[in-house]
Amino acid sequence: MKTEVAIIGGGPSGLLLSQLLNKAGVATVVLERATREHVLSRIRAGVLEAGTVAMLREAGVGDRMAREGIPHHGCYLTDDDLMVRINFEELTGTSVMVYGQTEVTTDLYAAQDAMGATIIHDVEDVVIQDADSSAPYVEYTVSGKRKRLDCAYVAGCDGFHGISRKTIPEDKRREFERVYPFGWLGVLSRTRPAHEELIYANSANGFALASMRNENLSRYYVQVPLTDKVEEWSDARFWTTLKSCLPTEVAASMETGPSIEKSIAPLRSFVSEPLRWGRLFLVGDAAHIVPPTGAKGLNLAVSDVHYLYQALIDAVKTGDTKGIDAYSERALLRIWKAMRFSWQMTTMLHRFDGEDSFAAQMRKATLYHLSQSETARRDLAENYIGLPF
């Protein structure tokens, strides 16, 4: 096979890049190791920045989001019973959208199918060859047969454990990482959300997040040790722990019910530089991971796509390489700003093993400062709704 851009990974970043390139007349082939059903079963992020919403509309996949997404004009940060509202619209003039990553992926698949884009699933043993030459190609196995895909460029959208980042020689890349000593136990339940807006809770019992997917589907998280297993957490234990972290008024009125999904996710901050090696470009989780505390994971992947897609169009259609030459530097500037914000939110809201009493008081002081300072709230709001591309 031949194509102009080979895209490794059929998650939202790979599908969005393919959608934007195909709309501009640039041919792509997407290679995905999992089945479509598995990709669509992943429970991931649900808060979309204003820039992400605009990108999805530009890609022609914003109609269902406009009908079913829930605009959020603020969120709450709490310390026990102190609730501090961050009013996005008042502080920044814009808002965010609650619309699950699974829904975004569903919309992108439908749009790709409608335009006849090529997406190959159940791909194994992917190898990116000659990425540092003018004629890269990708080898892979599907249905037991070894295949070759010739291309002009390769976009690595295959996540933290994918092959794309590892294709860049170790002596050509630098990796920065911080692994946090706790995880998030997440539960999905068919219950009314605890509050109409998201609540990021700091408490003596640790961190919790009260989020949602829609008006009848709630997503909740509590901080747990990395040694915990999902099997150790009954629904009853989870609800008791969650309520102990939320403000009393919220906990008393919230609806509980059976979990329909339960999982534990470790937290890490990770960046690999550069994002380009020859004609290979890293996008999304292949290049960076953020803690979910600041709702930046999917949004940061979309910002990578923003910097890359027009650059690839220019390179393919006109031979102008200024955009792809600048891609890594431009994307990394925004990546590190998002890293700082996610790290700040994580530090501000979580209890760390072995910490002293001073750390807990600093968290309380930070939340109290937010409650008193419009300047502090504006800084948080500007980062939460998404810095400009």
Side-chain angles (χ1 to χ4, degrees):
M1 293 180 68
K2 274 192 171 185
T3 193
E4 288 166 321
V5 179
I7 298 176
I8 316 300
S13 61
L15 294 173
L16 178 60
L17 180 61
S18 178
Q19 177 72 9
L20 289 162
L21 292 176
N22 277 279
K23 281 192 70 181
V26 175
T28 68
V29 172
V30 178
L31 303 177
E32 168 56 46
R33 64 182 178 84
T35 64
R36 179 178 295 204
E37 292 72 24
H38 178 77
V39 173
L40 290 173
S41 71
R42 297 168 182 160
I43 304 297
R44 294 290 189 271
V47 178
L48 307 183
E49 295 176 354
T52 297
V53 171
M55 282 282 287
L56 293 172
R57 288 172 177 156
E58 181 181 348
V61 293
D63 289 349
R64 190 164 73 97
M65 176 181 64
R67 294 193 308 269
E68 300 179 14
I70 307 173
H72 270 223
H73 308 298
C75 72
Y76 283 88
L77 276 68
T78 72
D79 178 25
D80 292 324
D81 286 339
L82 171 65
M83 297 184 67
V84 182
R85 184 168 187 254
I86 310 298
N87 188 324
F88 303 145
E89 285 207 328
E90 180 182 286
L91 295 165
T92 70
T94 188
S95 58
V96 296
M97 180 78 75
V98 172
Y99 191 64
Q101 179 174 313
T102 301
E103 308 309 321
V104 172
T105 308
T106 298
D107 296 344
L108 285 165
Y109 267 129
Q112 288 279 275
D113 290 345
M115 67 170 54
T118 302
I119 305 173
I120 303 174
H121 287 274
D122 292 313
V123 167
E124 299 177 322
D125 303 322
V126 174
V127 180
I128 302 168
Q129 301 281 18
D130 295 347
D132 58 341
S133 76
S134 60
Y137 62 97
V138 180
E139 293 180 323
Y140 61 96
T141 299
V142 64
S143 299
K145 296 180 180 179
R146 198 66 179 160
K147 303 283 187 178
R148 171 173 168 149
L149 173 62
D150 291 288
C151 56
Y153 299 97
V154 181
C157 307
D158 50 349
F160 181 76
H161 298 289
I163 192 63
S164 296
R165 183 179 69 258
K166 299 168 188 173
T167 298
I168 302 177
E170 287 189 20
D171 63 347
K172 300 295 183 183
R173 56 184 157 97
R174 297 178 66 199
E175 296 185 350
F176 307 86
E177 184 174 38
R178 171 161 294 181
V179 177
Y180 298 91
F182 43 73
W184 278 15
L185 171 64
V187 161
L188 195 67
S189 64
R190 290 193 176 92
T191 53
R192 291 190 309 276
H195 197 277
E196 61 184 12
E197 294 181 335
L198 273 64
I199 298 175
Y200 292 84
N202 168 55
S203 78
N205 296 309
F207 168 82
L209 170 60
S211 183
M212 68 200 70
R213 290 295 174 266
N214 58 51
E215 294 177 354
N216 297 296
L217 189 63
S218 297
R219 182 69 167 164
Y220 296 111
Y221 301 91
V222 296
Q223 175 183 345
V224 297
L226 287 174
T227 52
D228 278 17
K229 307 295 183 186
V230 172
E231 298 74 26
E232 299 170 354
W233 282 85
S234 65
D235 287 353
R237 182 186 178 192
F238 176 83
W239 292 119
T240 299
T241 303
L242 176 64
K243 287 184 175 184
S244 75
C245 297
L246 295 173
T248 304
E249 182 180 345
V250 175
S253 62
M254 71 180 298
E255 179 182 344
T256 63
S259 63
I260 56 176
E261 193 271 343
K262 192 183 292 176
S263 58
I264 295 177
L267 271 64
R268 63 155 51 90
S269 298
F270 173 85
V271 180
S272 181
E273 299 182 1
L275 306 189
R276 177 194 180 187
W277 185 57
R279 294 197 170 203
L280 168 64
F281 305 89
L282 303 184
V283 178
D285 288 0
H288 46 75
I289 300 287
V290 289
T293 325
K296 292 293 167 232
L298 173 60
N299 292 298
L300 206 50
V302 170
S303 78
D304 291 347
V305 173
H306 167 83
Y307 292 118
L308 183 59
Y309 88 95
Q310 189 60 56
L312 285 173
I313 292 169
D314 292 342
V316 169
K317 287 188 166 292
T318 70
D320 182 354
T321 64
K322 290 194 294 291
I324 60 173
D325 291 341
Y327 166 66
S328 182
E329 182 180 359
R330 293 180 69 201
L332 280 167
L333 285 173
R334 194 173 189 275
I335 287 165
W336 278 112
K337 291 175 186 176
M339 284 286 154
R340 183 204 67 83
F341 177 66
S342 296
W343 164 81
Q344 180 187 48
M345 287 280 284
T346 302
T347 303
M348 178 172 62
L349 292 168
H350 290 78
R351 185 183 58 197
F352 286 73
D353 291 342
E355 69 178 24
D356 55 22
S357 58
F358 183 84
Q361 290 302 111
M362 287 301 96
R363 287 197 297 274
K364 287 180 177 292
T366 301
L367 266 294
Y368 184 71
H369 176 59
L370 280 169
S371 74
Q372 300 296 304
S373 170
E374 181 178 312
T375 301
R377 292 194 299 275
R378 178 172 289 109
D379 176 69
L380 193 150
E382 287 176 348
N383 282 272
Y384 194 94
I385 62 101
L387 298 173
F389 289 145

